[in-house]
Amino acid sequence: MKYLLRNKKVEASGSTKQLIEYVKEKYKDEFWVKENAQKFDTDFGSFKFTIETLGLELSDKMTNSEYNKTHRR
């Protein structure tokens, strides 16, 4: 599972393909999404560049503070 982070908080999670679809839908009006969306599936670099221009970060793990929020007893 991958995590899409904004300001160290999880905005979305799922497989890379699910996150690509999320970005395409949620940010469809953003310039770099419009320019690069057709390349996301075949060119991971263009996806990574685009999410970074949106102020997002891709991570393989959830931040500790987010993990603690979801796993409190």
Side-chain angles (χ1 to χ4, degrees):
M1 180 170 298
K2 303 253 185 222
Y3 298 93
L4 199 57
L5 307 175
R6 178 183 297 282
N7 299 326
K8 304 294 182 202
K9 294 181 182 174
V10 176
E11 181 169 320
S13 63
S15 67
T16 302
K17 185 165 180 61
Q18 289 171 321
L19 294 179
I20 287 171
E21 292 306 315
Y22 173 82
V23 169
K24 283 181 179 180
E25 180 58 32
K26 176 139 185 180
Y27 298 100
K28 63 185 169 201
D29 295 330
E30 295 291 332
F31 175 78
W32 286 112
V33 175
K34 288 179 185 178
E35 289 292 309
N36 294 327
Q38 71 280 359
K39 297 185 276 183
F40 287 170
D41 292 323
T42 58
D43 183 3
F44 185 74
S46 66
F47 176 65
K48 189 152 173 50
F49 169 79
T50 301
I51 63 172
E52 288 173 357
T53 63
L54 296 171
L56 300 168
E57 176 185 351
L58 191 62
S59 177
D60 289 331
K61 63 181 187 173
M62 191 182 303
T63 62
N64 287 337
S65 61
E66 284 291 306
Y67 178 84
N68 291 338
K69 285 181 193 174
T70 60
H71 290 86
R72 281 193 182 148
R73 294 181 188 216

